[in-house]
Amino acid sequence: MSGLWSRISTAFERTDIGAAGDGTHGAQEPVRSTSTRYAPIRNAVERRVNAFLRDDLVSHLEIGPNEVFVLHYIEIAPDQQGEAELDQFMHEFSPESRVYWVKKLLGGAVGRHVSVDQFLGLDREFAAAQLAETDPYDEALNQSVIPPYRVILHGRWEARKEKPVVVAAASAPANDATETPDTRTEEIRAPGPSLKLSVQDNKAPDAGSWAGTRVIEVDSYPAVLGTSAEADVEISGYYVSARHCTLHWEARQLWLVDHSTNGTWVDGEKLRHGARVALANGAVISFGRDRGEADYDRYPSIRAQIMRKTAAPGGVAPTPIAPSRATPVVPLVVSSGAASPASAPLAPAKKPPLAVISIVDASGSPRRDVLTVPYTIGRGSAQDYVVPDANQGVSREHLVIEALDATGALTLNRAVSKNGTTSGHESLPERFTWRFGQEIILGEKWASSPPVRLTLRPVEEES
Amino acid sequence: MNAEVESFSAPWPGVLVEMKDFVDLWFLARRCEPATVRIFISRTLVPQARLQPHVREFKAAVSGIPGCVIEFKGTDSPSHKIEIEYRRPA
Protein backbone atom coordinates (compact mmCIF):
# COMPACT_ATOMS: atom_id res chain seq x y z
CA MET A 1 0.00 0.00 0.00
CA SER A 2 1.25 3.48 -0.72
CA GLY A 3 2.51 5.48 2.24
CA LEU A 4 0.39 8.42 1.16
CA TRP A 5 -2.81 6.41 1.51
CA SER A 6 -1.90 5.01 4.89
CA ARG A 7 -1.52 8.59 6.13
CA ILE A 8 -4.67 9.95 4.63
CA SER A 9 -6.78 6.90 5.42
CA THR A 10 -6.82 8.01 9.02
CA ALA A 11 -7.25 11.69 8.15
CA PHE A 12 -10.50 11.36 6.19
CA GLU A 13 -13.65 9.45 6.49
CA ARG A 14 -14.03 7.12 3.48
CA THR A 15 -16.80 8.73 1.50
CA ASP A 16 -17.18 6.93 -1.80
CA ILE A 17 -19.53 8.64 -4.12
CA GLY A 18 -19.41 5.91 -6.72
CA ALA A 19 -17.07 4.14 -9.04
CA ALA A 20 -16.61 3.88 -12.78
CA GLY A 21 -16.36 0.56 -14.47
CA ASP A 22 -19.26 -0.89 -12.56
CA GLY A 23 -21.48 -0.83 -15.58
CA THR A 24 -23.73 1.90 -14.32
CA HIS A 25 -22.04 5.06 -15.39
CA GLY A 26 -19.48 3.81 -17.80
CA ALA A 27 -21.92 2.39 -20.33
CA GLN A 28 -23.56 5.75 -20.95
CA GLU A 29 -20.45 7.82 -21.28
CA PRO A 30 -18.89 8.63 -24.62
CA VAL A 31 -15.43 7.09 -24.89
CA ARG A 32 -12.73 9.40 -26.17
CA SER A 33 -10.14 8.31 -28.59
CA THR A 34 -6.67 7.89 -27.28
CA SER A 35 -3.67 6.03 -28.51
CA THR A 36 -1.31 6.00 -25.54
CA ARG A 37 -0.35 2.78 -23.84
CA TYR A 38 -2.16 4.05 -20.76
CA ALA A 39 -5.44 4.39 -22.66
CA PRO A 40 -7.46 2.12 -20.32
CA ILE A 41 -6.27 4.08 -17.26
CA ARG A 42 -6.94 7.40 -18.92
CA ASN A 43 -10.34 6.25 -20.11
CA ALA A 44 -11.31 4.97 -16.68
CA VAL A 45 -10.32 8.19 -14.90
CA GLU A 46 -11.80 10.46 -17.57
CA ARG A 47 -15.02 8.46 -17.66
CA ARG A 48 -15.36 8.60 -13.88
CA VAL A 49 -14.61 12.32 -13.68
CA ASN A 50 -17.06 13.00 -16.52
CA ALA A 51 -19.71 10.89 -14.83
CA PHE A 52 -19.09 12.82 -11.62
CA LEU A 53 -19.45 16.16 -13.42
CA ARG A 54 -22.50 15.16 -15.44
CA ASP A 55 -24.41 12.94 -13.03
CA ASP A 56 -23.31 13.21 -9.40
CA LEU A 57 -22.65 16.94 -9.44
CA VAL A 58 -25.74 17.90 -11.42
CA SER A 59 -28.09 15.78 -9.34
CA HIS A 60 -26.60 17.03 -6.07
CA LEU A 61 -26.81 20.66 -7.14
CA GLU A 62 -30.50 20.23 -7.94
CA ILE A 63 -31.11 19.81 -4.22
CA GLY A 64 -28.18 21.73 -2.77
CA PRO A 65 -27.35 24.45 -5.30
CA ASN A 66 -25.17 26.36 -2.86
CA GLU A 67 -22.88 23.50 -1.99
CA VAL A 68 -19.46 22.69 -3.28
CA PHE A 69 -17.76 19.28 -3.46
CA VAL A 70 -14.44 19.29 -1.64
CA LEU A 71 -12.35 16.68 -3.39
CA HIS A 72 -9.89 14.88 -1.11
CA TYR A 73 -8.33 12.22 -3.28
CA ILE A 74 -8.99 9.79 -6.11
CA GLU A 75 -8.01 6.16 -6.04
CA ILE A 76 -7.67 3.67 -8.87
CA ALA A 77 -8.29 0.00 -8.32
CA PRO A 78 -6.92 -2.26 -11.04
CA ASP A 79 -8.00 -5.83 -11.59
CA GLN A 80 -5.27 -8.43 -11.99
CA GLN A 81 -4.55 -7.71 -15.64
CA GLY A 82 -4.29 -3.97 -15.06
CA GLU A 83 -1.88 -4.20 -12.11
CA ALA A 84 1.36 -3.96 -14.08
CA GLU A 85 0.17 -1.10 -16.31
CA LEU A 86 -0.94 0.88 -13.28
CA ASP A 87 2.45 0.35 -11.63
CA GLN A 88 4.13 1.78 -14.73
CA PHE A 89 1.69 4.67 -14.86
CA MET A 90 2.35 5.59 -11.23
CA HIS A 91 6.08 5.29 -11.77
CA GLU A 92 6.08 7.39 -14.94
CA PHE A 93 3.91 10.28 -13.78
CA SER A 94 4.77 12.26 -10.67
CA PRO A 95 2.09 12.96 -8.05
CA GLU A 96 2.15 16.62 -9.19
CA SER A 97 1.46 15.63 -12.79
CA ARG A 98 -1.45 13.48 -11.71
CA VAL A 99 -2.91 16.32 -9.66
CA TYR A 100 -2.49 18.67 -12.63
CA TRP A 101 -4.23 16.16 -14.92
CA VAL A 102 -7.22 15.69 -12.61
CA LYS A 103 -7.62 19.45 -12.21
CA LYS A 104 -7.57 19.79 -15.97
CA LEU A 105 -10.26 17.12 -16.31
CA LEU A 106 -12.43 18.90 -13.78
CA GLY A 107 -12.09 22.03 -15.91
CA GLY A 108 -14.50 24.88 -15.29
CA ALA A 109 -16.18 23.15 -12.34
CA VAL A 110 -13.13 23.89 -10.19
CA GLY A 111 -13.83 26.89 -8.02
CA ARG A 112 -17.55 26.95 -8.88
CA HIS A 113 -18.85 23.55 -7.76
CA VAL A 114 -15.70 21.62 -6.89
CA SER A 115 -12.95 22.67 -4.52
CA VAL A 116 -9.48 21.19 -5.03
CA ASP A 117 -7.85 23.12 -2.17
CA GLN A 118 -7.60 19.90 -0.17
CA PHE A 119 -6.93 17.59 -3.11
CA LEU A 120 -4.09 15.23 -2.22
CA GLY A 121 -3.75 13.35 -5.46
CA LEU A 122 -4.58 10.34 -7.54
CA ASP A 123 -3.08 7.06 -6.43
CA ARG A 124 -3.63 3.34 -6.10
CA GLU A 125 -6.46 2.12 -3.91
CA PHE A 126 -6.07 1.24 -0.27
CA ALA A 127 -5.21 -2.33 0.65
CA ALA A 128 -8.43 -4.30 0.54
CA ALA A 129 -7.91 -5.71 4.05
CA GLN A 130 -7.63 -2.24 5.56
CA LEU A 131 -10.76 -1.08 3.82
CA ALA A 132 -12.78 -4.01 5.18
CA GLU A 133 -14.18 -4.63 1.71
CA THR A 134 -17.36 -6.50 1.00
CA ASP A 135 -17.78 -10.21 1.00
CA PRO A 136 -15.30 -11.98 -1.33
CA TYR A 137 -18.15 -13.80 -3.09
CA ASP A 138 -19.73 -10.46 -4.05
CA GLU A 139 -16.33 -9.13 -5.08
CA ALA A 140 -15.84 -12.12 -7.37
CA LEU A 141 -19.33 -11.53 -8.79
CA ASN A 142 -18.63 -7.90 -9.44
CA GLN A 143 -15.30 -8.26 -11.17
CA SER A 144 -15.47 -5.95 -14.12
CA VAL A 145 -14.60 -6.71 -17.71
CA ILE A 146 -14.00 -3.34 -19.37
CA PRO A 147 -12.47 -1.13 -18.15
CA PRO A 148 -10.24 -3.00 -15.70
CA TYR A 149 -9.86 0.09 -13.49
CA ARG A 150 -12.26 1.22 -10.83
CA VAL A 151 -11.90 4.93 -10.07
CA ILE A 152 -13.26 6.31 -6.82
CA LEU A 153 -13.54 9.98 -5.91
CA HIS A 154 -13.34 10.83 -2.22
CA GLY A 155 -14.50 14.08 -0.76
CA ARG A 156 -17.37 15.77 1.00
CA TRP A 157 -20.07 18.31 0.25
CA GLU A 158 -19.83 21.65 2.00
CA ALA A 159 -21.83 24.84 1.94
CA ARG A 160 -20.37 27.34 -0.52
CA LYS A 161 -18.67 30.14 1.36
CA GLU A 162 -19.27 32.99 -1.04
CA LYS A 163 -22.75 34.15 -1.96
CA PRO A 164 -23.93 32.93 -5.37
CA VAL A 165 -24.14 35.35 -8.21
CA VAL A 166 -27.53 36.98 -8.54
CA VAL A 167 -29.08 36.22 -11.87
CA ALA A 168 -31.55 38.04 -14.03
CA ALA A 169 -35.04 36.60 -14.16
CA ALA A 170 -36.41 35.39 -17.49
CA SER A 171 -39.81 36.27 -18.88
CA ALA A 172 -41.31 33.38 -17.03
CA PRO A 173 -44.55 32.47 -15.28
CA ALA A 174 -45.85 34.92 -12.75
CA ASN A 175 -45.00 32.72 -9.78
CA ASP A 176 -41.30 33.11 -10.58
CA ALA A 177 -41.54 36.70 -9.46
CA THR A 178 -41.78 35.59 -5.85
CA GLU A 179 -38.46 33.74 -6.00
CA THR A 180 -35.57 35.06 -4.03
CA PRO A 181 -32.49 35.53 -6.16
CA ASP A 182 -30.12 33.60 -3.90
CA THR A 183 -31.97 30.35 -4.48
CA ARG A 184 -30.99 30.36 -8.15
CA THR A 185 -28.01 28.48 -9.51
CA GLU A 186 -24.89 30.40 -10.29
CA GLU A 187 -25.10 31.21 -13.96
CA ILE A 188 -24.60 34.38 -15.87
CA ARG A 189 -27.52 34.83 -18.21
CA ALA A 190 -27.38 36.74 -21.43
CA PRO A 191 -30.13 38.12 -23.62
CA GLY A 192 -31.08 36.28 -26.79
CA PRO A 193 -33.95 36.19 -29.24
CA SER A 194 -37.45 36.23 -27.89
CA LEU A 195 -38.73 32.68 -27.82
CA LYS A 196 -42.40 31.83 -27.54
CA LEU A 197 -42.97 28.47 -25.85
CA SER A 198 -46.44 26.98 -26.24
CA VAL A 199 -46.62 24.57 -23.33
CA GLN A 200 -49.03 21.64 -23.31
CA ASP A 201 -49.14 20.24 -19.81
CA ASN A 202 -51.77 19.85 -17.15
CA LYS A 203 -51.43 23.50 -16.19
CA ALA A 204 -52.51 24.60 -19.67
CA PRO A 205 -56.02 26.08 -19.73
CA ASP A 206 -57.25 23.89 -22.59
CA ALA A 207 -54.48 21.40 -23.19
CA GLY A 208 -54.84 18.61 -25.69
CA SER A 209 -54.45 20.88 -28.70
CA TRP A 210 -51.87 23.53 -29.56
CA ALA A 211 -54.62 26.12 -29.55
CA GLY A 212 -55.28 25.65 -25.84
CA THR A 213 -51.72 25.82 -24.52
CA ARG A 214 -50.24 28.26 -22.09
CA VAL A 215 -47.66 30.54 -23.63
CA ILE A 216 -44.40 31.50 -21.96
CA GLU A 217 -41.83 33.83 -23.43
CA VAL A 218 -38.13 33.45 -22.83
CA ASP A 219 -35.57 36.05 -23.85
CA SER A 220 -32.52 35.38 -21.71
CA TYR A 221 -30.39 32.30 -21.76
CA PRO A 222 -29.58 29.71 -20.51
CA ALA A 223 -33.18 28.95 -19.56
CA VAL A 224 -33.94 25.84 -17.54
CA LEU A 225 -37.08 23.81 -18.28
CA GLY A 226 -38.36 21.42 -15.62
CA THR A 227 -40.70 20.77 -12.73
CA SER A 228 -38.59 22.65 -10.20
CA ALA A 229 -40.07 25.86 -8.89
CA GLU A 230 -36.66 27.36 -9.63
CA ALA A 231 -36.81 26.43 -13.31
CA ASP A 232 -37.15 29.34 -15.71
CA VAL A 233 -39.99 27.53 -17.45
CA GLU A 234 -41.92 25.33 -15.07
CA ILE A 235 -43.35 22.26 -16.77
CA SER A 236 -45.71 19.95 -14.96
CA GLY A 237 -45.70 16.21 -15.69
CA TYR A 238 -44.99 12.85 -14.09
CA TYR A 239 -41.99 12.07 -16.29
CA VAL A 240 -40.49 15.56 -16.26
CA SER A 241 -37.28 16.04 -14.24
CA ALA A 242 -36.70 18.98 -11.92
CA ARG A 243 -34.10 20.32 -14.38
CA HIS A 244 -35.14 18.45 -17.49
CA CYS A 245 -33.31 20.41 -20.17
CA THR A 246 -31.76 23.81 -20.80
CA LEU A 247 -32.09 26.18 -23.72
CA HIS A 248 -28.93 28.04 -24.73
CA TRP A 249 -28.32 30.81 -27.24
CA GLU A 250 -24.83 30.46 -28.67
CA ALA A 251 -23.22 31.23 -32.02
CA ARG A 252 -26.51 32.75 -33.22
CA GLN A 253 -28.24 29.44 -32.76
CA LEU A 254 -30.71 28.09 -30.23
CA TRP A 255 -29.54 24.87 -28.56
CA LEU A 256 -31.18 22.39 -26.23
CA VAL A 257 -29.17 20.36 -23.73
CA ASP A 258 -30.81 17.35 -22.09
CA HIS A 259 -30.25 16.54 -18.40
CA SER A 260 -33.34 14.40 -17.87
CA THR A 261 -33.90 11.00 -16.35
CA ASN A 262 -36.74 9.95 -18.62
CA GLY A 263 -35.57 11.50 -21.86
CA THR A 264 -36.27 14.43 -24.16
CA TRP A 265 -37.61 14.18 -27.70
CA VAL A 266 -37.14 16.89 -30.32
CA ASP A 267 -39.42 16.62 -33.34
CA GLY A 268 -40.02 12.96 -32.55
CA GLU A 269 -36.33 12.06 -32.20
CA LYS A 270 -35.12 10.92 -28.80
CA LEU A 271 -31.98 12.66 -27.60
CA ARG A 272 -29.18 10.77 -25.97
CA HIS A 273 -28.76 11.64 -22.29
CA GLY A 274 -26.70 14.80 -22.04
CA ALA A 275 -26.97 15.47 -25.78
CA ARG A 276 -26.91 18.99 -27.15
CA VAL A 277 -28.90 19.70 -30.31
CA ALA A 278 -29.67 22.75 -32.43
CA LEU A 279 -33.35 23.64 -32.26
CA ALA A 280 -35.24 24.43 -35.43
CA ASN A 281 -37.81 27.20 -35.40
CA GLY A 282 -41.14 25.58 -34.54
CA ALA A 283 -39.45 22.53 -33.00
CA VAL A 284 -41.61 20.40 -30.74
CA ILE A 285 -39.93 19.31 -27.51
CA SER A 286 -41.52 16.36 -25.71
CA PHE A 287 -40.78 15.29 -22.17
CA GLY A 288 -40.56 11.67 -21.01
CA ARG A 289 -41.95 10.25 -24.26
CA ASP A 290 -43.15 11.59 -27.59
CA ARG A 291 -46.91 11.07 -27.55
CA GLY A 292 -47.91 13.92 -29.85
CA GLU A 293 -50.92 15.66 -28.39
CA ALA A 294 -52.02 12.67 -26.31
CA ASP A 295 -51.20 12.14 -22.64
CA TYR A 296 -50.04 15.73 -22.26
CA ASP A 297 -50.50 15.52 -18.47
CA ARG A 298 -47.89 12.77 -18.20
CA TYR A 299 -45.77 13.56 -21.26
CA PRO A 300 -45.96 17.32 -21.80
CA SER A 301 -44.88 18.95 -25.04
CA ILE A 302 -43.63 22.39 -25.96
CA ARG A 303 -43.56 24.11 -29.32
CA ALA A 304 -40.73 26.64 -29.57
CA GLN A 305 -41.22 29.58 -31.91
CA ILE A 306 -38.55 32.21 -32.32
CA MET A 307 -39.98 35.73 -32.29
CA ARG A 308 -38.35 38.70 -33.97
CA LYS A 309 -37.59 41.55 -31.63
CA THR A 310 -39.29 44.82 -32.47
CA ALA A 311 -37.18 47.63 -33.90
CA ALA A 312 -38.95 50.52 -32.21
CA PRO A 313 -38.31 50.86 -28.49
CA GLY A 314 -41.40 50.12 -26.45
CA GLY A 315 -43.26 49.35 -29.67
CA VAL A 316 -45.20 46.44 -31.07
CA ALA A 317 -45.15 43.00 -29.54
CA PRO A 318 -42.73 40.50 -31.11
CA THR A 319 -43.93 38.76 -34.26
CA PRO A 320 -43.63 35.00 -34.49
CA ILE A 321 -41.52 33.73 -37.33
CA ALA A 322 -43.32 31.11 -39.37
CA PRO A 323 -42.16 27.69 -38.25
CA SER A 324 -40.32 25.73 -40.88
CA ARG A 325 -42.43 22.61 -40.52
CA ALA A 326 -41.86 21.46 -44.09
CA THR A 327 -38.24 20.71 -43.24
CA PRO A 328 -38.63 20.12 -39.55
CA VAL A 329 -35.22 19.21 -38.22
CA VAL A 330 -33.05 21.74 -40.02
CA PRO A 331 -31.63 24.20 -37.48
CA LEU A 332 -32.17 27.88 -38.16
CA VAL A 333 -29.67 30.67 -37.74
CA VAL A 334 -31.57 33.66 -36.53
CA SER A 335 -30.67 37.33 -36.62
CA SER A 336 -31.21 38.57 -33.11
CA GLY A 337 -31.50 42.19 -34.25
CA ALA A 338 -34.23 43.83 -36.31
CA ALA A 339 -32.28 44.12 -39.54
CA SER A 340 -34.15 41.53 -41.57
CA PRO A 341 -37.56 42.32 -43.02
CA ALA A 342 -40.44 41.27 -40.83
CA SER A 343 -41.96 38.82 -43.29
CA ALA A 344 -38.80 37.15 -44.55
CA PRO A 345 -38.28 33.59 -43.37
CA LEU A 346 -34.98 32.86 -41.70
CA ALA A 347 -32.38 31.01 -43.76
CA PRO A 348 -31.69 27.44 -42.72
CA ALA A 349 -28.09 26.69 -41.84
CA LYS A 350 -27.70 23.12 -42.98
CA LYS A 351 -24.80 21.34 -41.40
CA PRO A 352 -22.77 19.36 -43.94
CA PRO A 353 -22.24 15.70 -43.06
CA LEU A 354 -18.80 14.49 -42.00
CA ALA A 355 -19.28 11.18 -43.81
CA VAL A 356 -22.02 8.96 -45.17
CA ILE A 357 -22.81 5.34 -44.32
CA SER A 358 -24.32 3.05 -46.98
CA ILE A 359 -26.33 0.38 -45.22
CA VAL A 360 -27.91 -2.97 -46.03
CA ASP A 361 -30.23 -3.95 -43.18
CA ALA A 362 -33.62 -5.57 -42.67
CA SER A 363 -35.38 -2.40 -43.82
CA GLY A 364 -33.58 -2.23 -47.18
CA SER A 365 -30.64 -0.09 -48.27
CA PRO A 366 -30.87 3.19 -46.39
CA ARG A 367 -28.08 5.76 -46.08
CA ARG A 368 -27.23 7.80 -43.03
CA ASP A 369 -25.28 11.05 -42.77
CA VAL A 370 -22.76 11.22 -39.95
CA LEU A 371 -23.36 14.77 -38.75
CA THR A 372 -21.46 14.67 -35.46
CA VAL A 373 -19.12 12.43 -33.54
CA PRO A 374 -19.47 10.38 -31.44
CA TYR A 375 -21.99 8.67 -33.76
CA THR A 376 -23.59 5.56 -32.35
CA ILE A 377 -24.94 2.53 -34.18
CA GLY A 378 -27.09 -0.19 -32.63
CA ARG A 379 -30.60 -1.48 -31.99
CA GLY A 380 -31.13 0.77 -28.95
CA SER A 381 -33.67 3.51 -29.48
CA ALA A 382 -31.21 6.22 -28.43
CA GLN A 383 -28.66 5.41 -31.13
CA ASP A 384 -27.89 7.81 -33.97
CA TYR A 385 -28.57 5.04 -36.48
CA VAL A 386 -31.17 2.71 -35.00
CA VAL A 387 -30.75 -0.73 -36.55
CA PRO A 388 -34.09 -2.55 -37.13
CA ASP A 389 -35.06 -5.05 -34.43
CA ALA A 390 -35.17 -7.78 -37.08
CA ASN A 391 -31.37 -7.65 -37.17
CA GLN A 392 -31.18 -9.42 -33.81
CA GLY A 393 -27.45 -10.06 -34.06
CA VAL A 394 -26.70 -6.36 -33.64
CA SER A 395 -26.20 -5.17 -30.07
CA ARG A 396 -28.13 -2.30 -28.55
CA GLU A 397 -25.02 -0.15 -28.86
CA HIS A 398 -22.80 -1.96 -31.30
CA LEU A 399 -20.41 0.63 -32.74
CA VAL A 400 -19.38 4.15 -31.88
CA ILE A 401 -17.64 6.35 -34.44
CA GLU A 402 -15.40 8.41 -32.20
CA ALA A 403 -13.47 10.52 -34.70
CA LEU A 404 -13.07 10.96 -38.46
CA ASP A 405 -10.02 11.84 -40.47
CA ALA A 406 -8.93 11.72 -44.11
CA THR A 407 -8.57 7.92 -44.09
CA GLY A 408 -11.71 6.90 -42.24
CA ALA A 409 -13.23 6.65 -38.79
CA LEU A 410 -11.71 5.72 -35.45
CA THR A 411 -14.35 3.27 -34.26
CA LEU A 412 -15.10 1.66 -30.92
CA ASN A 413 -16.44 -1.86 -31.37
CA ARG A 414 -18.60 -2.22 -28.25
CA ALA A 415 -19.91 -5.59 -29.39
CA VAL A 416 -16.43 -7.14 -29.55
CA SER A 417 -17.20 -9.66 -26.80
CA LYS A 418 -20.74 -10.34 -28.04
CA ASN A 419 -21.82 -10.89 -31.62
CA GLY A 420 -18.92 -8.93 -32.96
CA THR A 421 -18.07 -6.95 -36.04
CA THR A 422 -16.26 -8.47 -38.99
CA SER A 423 -14.64 -7.38 -42.20
CA GLY A 424 -13.71 -9.95 -44.84
CA HIS A 425 -14.76 -12.71 -42.35
CA GLU A 426 -12.16 -11.49 -39.84
CA SER A 427 -13.23 -10.22 -36.44
CA LEU A 428 -12.41 -6.60 -35.79
CA PRO A 429 -10.80 -5.59 -32.48
CA GLU A 430 -12.30 -3.35 -29.81
CA ARG A 431 -10.91 -0.26 -31.54
CA PHE A 432 -10.23 -0.12 -35.24
CA THR A 433 -9.97 2.33 -38.08
CA TRP A 434 -12.92 1.93 -40.40
CA ARG A 435 -11.44 2.97 -43.73
CA PHE A 436 -13.51 4.79 -46.32
CA GLY A 437 -14.88 2.22 -48.77
CA GLN A 438 -14.40 -0.69 -46.34
CA GLU A 439 -17.46 -2.89 -45.79
CA ILE A 440 -17.98 -4.10 -42.24
CA ILE A 441 -20.60 -6.56 -41.05
CA LEU A 442 -22.43 -6.41 -37.74
CA GLY A 443 -23.66 -9.62 -36.09
CA GLU A 444 -22.38 -11.98 -38.77
CA LYS A 445 -21.92 -14.73 -36.17
CA TRP A 446 -25.61 -14.63 -35.30
CA ALA A 447 -27.05 -17.38 -37.48
CA SER A 448 -30.75 -16.83 -36.80
CA SER A 449 -31.06 -13.30 -38.18
CA PRO A 450 -29.54 -11.37 -41.08
CA PRO A 451 -26.37 -9.34 -40.49
CA VAL A 452 -26.11 -5.61 -41.23
CA ARG A 453 -23.60 -4.46 -43.84
CA LEU A 454 -22.16 -0.97 -43.57
CA THR A 455 -19.80 0.92 -45.86
CA LEU A 456 -18.33 4.26 -44.83
CA ARG A 457 -17.97 6.82 -47.59
CA PRO A 458 -16.46 10.27 -47.66
CA VAL A 459 -18.83 13.12 -48.40
CA GLU A 460 -17.15 14.10 -51.71
CA GLU A 461 -17.77 10.62 -53.10
CA GLU A 462 -21.45 10.84 -52.21
CA SER A 463 -22.11 14.35 -53.49
CA MET B 1 -42.00 1.01 -7.53
CA ASN B 2 -42.98 -2.47 -8.65
CA ALA B 3 -40.83 -5.55 -8.73
CA GLU B 4 -40.88 -8.72 -10.74
CA VAL B 5 -38.97 -11.73 -9.39
CA GLU B 6 -38.02 -14.93 -11.18
CA SER B 7 -36.06 -17.90 -9.80
CA PHE B 8 -33.66 -20.11 -11.73
CA SER B 9 -32.10 -23.41 -10.71
CA ALA B 10 -30.68 -24.97 -13.88
CA PRO B 11 -27.03 -26.16 -13.76
CA TRP B 12 -24.21 -23.64 -13.83
CA PRO B 13 -23.18 -21.94 -16.12
CA GLY B 14 -26.01 -22.82 -18.56
CA VAL B 15 -28.49 -21.13 -16.25
CA LEU B 16 -26.96 -17.79 -17.21
CA VAL B 17 -28.31 -18.23 -20.73
CA GLU B 18 -31.82 -18.62 -19.30
CA MET B 19 -31.27 -15.58 -17.10
CA LYS B 20 -30.05 -13.49 -20.00
CA ASP B 21 -33.08 -14.53 -22.09
CA PHE B 22 -35.37 -13.53 -19.23
CA VAL B 23 -33.79 -10.06 -18.96
CA ASP B 24 -33.82 -9.56 -22.75
CA LEU B 25 -37.45 -10.61 -23.07
CA TRP B 26 -38.53 -8.42 -20.17
CA PHE B 27 -36.96 -5.36 -21.74
CA LEU B 28 -38.28 -6.30 -25.16
CA ALA B 29 -41.80 -6.42 -23.72
CA ARG B 30 -41.45 -3.08 -21.89
CA ARG B 31 -39.15 -1.11 -24.10
CA CYS B 32 -36.78 1.28 -22.38
CA GLU B 33 -38.56 1.66 -19.05
CA PRO B 34 -36.02 2.70 -16.42
CA ALA B 35 -35.40 -0.25 -14.12
CA THR B 36 -32.96 -1.76 -11.67
CA VAL B 37 -32.11 -5.39 -12.29
CA ARG B 38 -30.73 -7.25 -9.27
CA ILE B 39 -29.17 -10.56 -10.07
CA PHE B 40 -28.75 -12.88 -7.09
CA ILE B 41 -26.44 -15.84 -7.57
CA SER B 42 -26.95 -18.73 -5.16
CA ARG B 43 -23.84 -19.40 -3.06
CA THR B 44 -25.08 -22.94 -2.44
CA LEU B 45 -25.35 -23.75 -6.14
CA VAL B 46 -22.15 -22.07 -7.35
CA PRO B 47 -18.86 -21.98 -5.42
CA GLN B 48 -16.91 -18.75 -5.66
CA ALA B 49 -14.15 -20.37 -7.70
CA ARG B 50 -16.61 -21.22 -10.49
CA LEU B 51 -18.16 -17.75 -10.85
CA GLN B 52 -15.68 -16.38 -13.36
CA PRO B 53 -15.36 -15.95 -16.27
CA HIS B 54 -19.07 -16.80 -16.73
CA VAL B 55 -20.40 -13.88 -14.70
CA ARG B 56 -18.14 -11.45 -16.56
CA GLU B 57 -19.45 -12.72 -19.90
CA PHE B 58 -23.02 -12.58 -18.65
CA LYS B 59 -22.49 -9.04 -17.40
CA ALA B 60 -21.09 -7.97 -20.75
CA ALA B 61 -24.08 -9.58 -22.50
CA VAL B 62 -26.71 -7.78 -20.42
CA SER B 63 -24.99 -4.42 -20.09
CA GLY B 64 -25.92 -1.51 -22.28
CA ILE B 65 -29.68 -1.61 -21.79
CA PRO B 66 -30.65 2.09 -21.80
CA GLY B 67 -31.85 3.40 -18.45
CA CYS B 68 -31.16 0.09 -16.72
CA VAL B 69 -28.90 -0.45 -13.71
CA ILE B 70 -27.66 -4.00 -13.13
CA GLU B 71 -26.47 -5.14 -9.71
CA PHE B 72 -24.99 -8.50 -8.73
CA LYS B 73 -25.22 -10.05 -5.26
CA GLY B 74 -24.58 -13.42 -3.69
CA THR B 75 -27.54 -15.05 -1.94
CA ASP B 76 -27.93 -17.95 0.49
CA SER B 77 -31.19 -19.03 -1.12
CA PRO B 78 -31.26 -22.42 -2.89
CA SER B 79 -31.85 -20.89 -6.34
CA HIS B 80 -30.62 -17.98 -8.39
CA LYS B 81 -32.98 -15.07 -8.65
CA ILE B 82 -33.56 -12.02 -10.84
CA GLU B 83 -35.45 -9.11 -9.38
CA ILE B 84 -36.46 -6.32 -11.75
CA GLU B 85 -37.60 -3.17 -10.04
CA TYR B 86 -39.43 -0.71 -12.25
CA ARG B 87 -41.75 2.23 -12.10
CA ARG B 88 -45.20 1.66 -13.48
CA PRO B 89 -46.61 4.67 -15.38
CA ALA B 90 -49.26 6.44 -13.29
Side-chain angles (χ1 to χ4, degrees), chain B residues 14-89:
Chain B
V15 67
L16 290 172
V17 176
E18 273 182 41
M19 294 167 87
K20 180 185 175 303
D21 287 346
F22 174 78
V23 174
D24 281 347
L25 287 171
W26 194 91
F27 278 94
L28 199 64
R30 302 164 188 267
R31 293 179 69 93
C32 296
E33 278 187 19
T36 302
V37 178
R38 291 193 188 89
I39 294 172
F40 296 92
I41 302 293
S42 166
R43 295 169 198 265
T44 54
L45 292 180
V46 192
Q48 187 184 326
R50 294 197 60 214
L51 288 173
Q52 301 299 355
H54 313 294
V55 172
R56 262 203 296 265
E57 287 165 10
F58 175 75
K59 205 183 289 184
V62 295
S63 64
I65 301 171
C68 166
V69 175
I70 297 182
E71 295 170 3
F72 286 81
K73 288 285 288 176
T75 173
D76 293 324
S77 79
S79 57
H80 311 302
K81 202 169 66 171
I82 295 182
E83 185 182 292
I84 303 184
E85 196 179 79
Y86 61 101
R87 184 180 294 162
R88 192 187 291 281

Side-chain angles (χ1 to χ4, degrees), chain A residues 177-438:
Chain A
T178 59
E179 260 180 24
T180 54
D182 59 355
T183 61
R184 307 293 295 266
T185 53
E186 180 191 354
E187 257 174 334
I188 304 297
R189 304 185 67 199
S194 182
L195 186 71
K196 176 182 153 192
L197 299 174
S198 308
V199 182
Q200 271 207 101
D201 62 2
N202 56 16
K203 286 185 176 173
D206 181 21
S209 69
W210 288 114
T213 57
R214 61 196 178 97
V215 175
I216 296 167
E217 281 183 29
V218 171
D219 59 6
S220 61
Y221 301 86
V224 176
L225 280 62
T227 54
S228 165
E230 294 184 9
D232 300 298
V233 179
E234 205 178 324
I235 313 287
S236 171
Y238 187 79
Y239 291 104
V240 183
S241 301
R243 285 169 59 90
H244 198 100
C245 57
T246 310
L247 299 176
H248 295 264
W249 175 251
E250 279 173 32
R252 297 162 68 83
Q253 169 66 51
L254 190 65
W255 301 87
L256 181 143
V257 180
D258 170 64
H259 325 286
S260 66
T261 304
N262 295 312
T264 307
W265 276 250
V266 173
D267 288 330
E269 295 278 332
K270 189 183 179 190
L271 306 184
R272 274 185 296 145
H273 180 68
R276 172 189 166 103
V277 292
L279 276 190
N281 188 24
V284 176
I285 307 162
S286 304
F287 298 78
R289 192 164 290 181
D290 183 25
R291 298 293 301 267
E293 293 183 359
D295 280 353
Y296 57 85
D297 52 341
R298 288 193 297 166
Y299 309 108
S301 289
I302 285 183
R303 178 175 286 168
Q305 277 180 286
I306 298 165
M307 318 278 282
R308 244 183 220 106
K309 288 190 173 171
T310 50
V316 196
T319 316
I321 294 163
S324 53
R325 302 305 295 160
T327 51
V329 200
V330 179
L332 292 182
V333 174
V334 193
S335 163
S336 58
S340 52
S343 60
L346 296 164
K350 192 176 178 189
K351 192 176 176 185
L354 304 169
V356 177
I357 305 174
S358 303
I359 300 164
V360 179
D361 64 15
S363 70
S365 307
R367 291 189 334 167
R368 290 284 186 282
D369 289 345
V370 179
L371 293 171
T372 56
V373 285
Y375 183 90
T376 56
I377 296 170
R379 282 192 300 115
S381 59
Q383 305 299 298
D384 295 310
Y385 157 44
V386 181
V387 174
D389 269 345
N391 296 107
Q392 279 288 309
V394 177
S395 299
R396 287 187 173 83
E397 182 163 297
H398 199 108
L399 285 186
V400 181
I401 296 179
E402 297 180 328
L404 282 152
D405 63 18
T407 57
L410 178 66
T411 308
L412 172 67
N413 183 11
R414 282 202 190 277
V416 67
S417 60
K418 300 181 210 169
N419 299 323
T421 308
T422 52
S423 177
H425 300 294
E426 286 194 8
S427 293
L428 292 167
E430 189 186 0
R431 272 207 168 73
F432 64 95
T433 300
W434 183 6
R435 297 183 311 279
F436 286 123
Q438 180 187 10

